[in-house]
């Protein structure tokens, strides 16, 4: 009986070690809708990220890390939805944080953000080049 309990304790310790939060750092993550991010990752077409229809934002905003090809859902404890909406459609977010959970089916990671900065999307008609 003692060996069974010891085995269970070791198994629980191993599972706890595997469930440690992973440190995440994203620079210039694209804020987009979940369906657009999933389609961009599947097709490899990054234009789907910035051309995401506004209706997709109502379903939920995510951050797509172009360098790592990973999708992150931001926990609302530190970053508010309105802040993410400022970057939807052409802006970006830089953040550091730790993983909270991973949806195995869609491979979307939820992150508890520690620090962030948002670059809002450019205003329509803003000057974008030199003459």
């Amino acid at each position: 009986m003692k060996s069974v309990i010891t085995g269970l304790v070791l198994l629980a310790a191993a599972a706890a070690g595997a469930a440690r939060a992973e440190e995440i750092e994203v620079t210039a993550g694209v804020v987009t809708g979940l369906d657009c991010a999933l389609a961009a990752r599947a097709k490899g077409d990054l234009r789907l990220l910035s051309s995401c229809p506004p209706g997709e934002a109502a379903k939920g905003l995510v951050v797509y890390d172009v360098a790592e090809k990973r999708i992150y859902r931001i926990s609302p404890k530190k970053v508010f939805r309105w802040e993410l909406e400022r970057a939807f459609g052409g802006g970006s977010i830089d953040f550091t944080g730790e993983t909270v959970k991973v949806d195995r089916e869609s491979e979307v990671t939820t992150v508890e953000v520690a620090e962030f900065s948002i670059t809002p999307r450019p205003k329509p008609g803003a000057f974008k080049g030199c003459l």
Side-chain angles (χ1 to χ4, degrees):
M1 182 70 166
K2 186 176 182 181
S3 64
V4 171
I5 292 173
T6 303
L8 290 174
V9 168
L10 290 174
L11 183 61
R20 282 192 190 142
E22 176 186 357
E23 184 72 26
I24 303 291
E25 182 176 353
V26 173
T27 57
V30 179
V31 179
T32 189
L34 177 60
D35 289 341
C36 297
L38 292 170
R41 183 174 63 189
K43 296 177 183 177
D45 186 2
L46 299 180
R47 291 176 294 178
L48 297 172
L49 300 173
S50 59
S51 65
C52 191
E56 291 297 319
K59 297 177 185 177
L61 294 172
V62 296
V63 176
Y64 186 85
D65 183 3
V66 177
E68 300 290 327
K69 297 183 176 120
R70 292 181 65 183
I71 301 171
Y72 299 104
R73 183 171 279 122
I74 304 296
S75 175
K77 290 183 180 178
K78 183 144 180 153
V79 182
F80 297 109
R81 181 178 170 85
W82 67 267
E83 292 175 303
L84 289 175
E85 287 174 348
R86 289 178 49 212
F88 181 82
S92 65
I93 183 172
D94 301 340
F95 68 88
T96 59
E98 292 185 344
T99 59
V100 177
K101 70 176 184 176
V102 177
D103 180 0
R104 301 281 182 215
E105 184 177 321
S106 63
E107 296 179 6
V108 175
T109 304
T110 302
V111 177
E112 183 71 41
V113 173
E115 294 181 15
F116 73 97
S117 68
I118 292 180
T119 303
R121 71 180 167 274
K123 295 183 185 212
F127 183 74
K128 296 179 183 161
C130 55
L131 298 174

